[in-house]
Amino acid sequence: MRVRDRLRVSERRQRQITRAMELSLVGILFVGFDRGNPGIVVNAGLAFLVTLVPAVLERDYDIPMDAGLTLWITVAVFLHALGTLGPYQNVWWYDHVTHALSASLIAAAGYATVRAIDEHYSGVVLPPRFVFVFILLFVVAFGVVWEVIEFAIGGMASVFGGKAVLTQYGLEDTMKDLLFNTAGAIVTALWGTAHLNGVVGALTDRLDASGRSAD
């Protein structure tokens, strides 16, 4: 059973919440401009663009994005953008929550891709345990790359005298980020895949169609 079914949240209500967060991101963007803070502007702007991705995937690539999956994506990027207004600095657990949510989305993308490959290629057989381990390793690897990017951006900002768009708080914070990234991946591997069956089916169909056209 999906989380929304347990909570009895209708698809209409989920779409309303998604729209409210999208509008809030526009508000955060203007707050960034008003404060002259490029970090807020960049993060809010990118977050808003990410919220448009589900509609593009559904319209242009026929990948079904139900209300729950769209809300999942929107919550992750909204909380990240909201954090730039202060929660990242003032709420000790906020960064952990956003990392876990972001990691859950990365895990979902990895899971959907691997499952589609498994379904498309008859010679490929991926046992559930392998997929579980792959999701964890995929997210950990992506998390390491992200931390390196944060470190590099912070170093460049120090060298050129600007303000870092992404902030790196030290080795301890990095280790905690990777820990909560892993936690988000585990949550997706155990309970989040129910939202991804339609996406997996659509990706498999596209691979099948691509194979037929190549023949």
Side-chain angles (χ1 to χ4, degrees), residues 11 13-26 28 43-58 65-83 88 94 97-98 100-106 108 195:
E11 288 196 14
R13 181 64 64 191
Q14 290 177 75
R15 296 188 188 282
Q16 289 174 340
I17 296 172
T18 298
R19 295 291 178 269
M21 285 190 289
E22 289 174 345
L23 291 174
S24 297
L25 284 172
V26 175
I28 294 173
N43 283 283
L46 290 177
F48 181 76
L49 290 177
V50 171
T51 65
L52 304 179
V53 170
V56 173
L57 291 176
E58 192 164 33
M65 305 290 289
D66 67 18
L69 184 54
T70 302
L71 180 59
W72 183 3
I73 295 170
T74 305
V75 167
V77 296
F78 170 75
L79 290 180
H80 171 65
L82 182 64
Y88 274 136
Y94 196 89
V97 172
T98 56
L101 272 172
S102 299
S104 71
L105 287 178
I106 296 168
H195 290 280

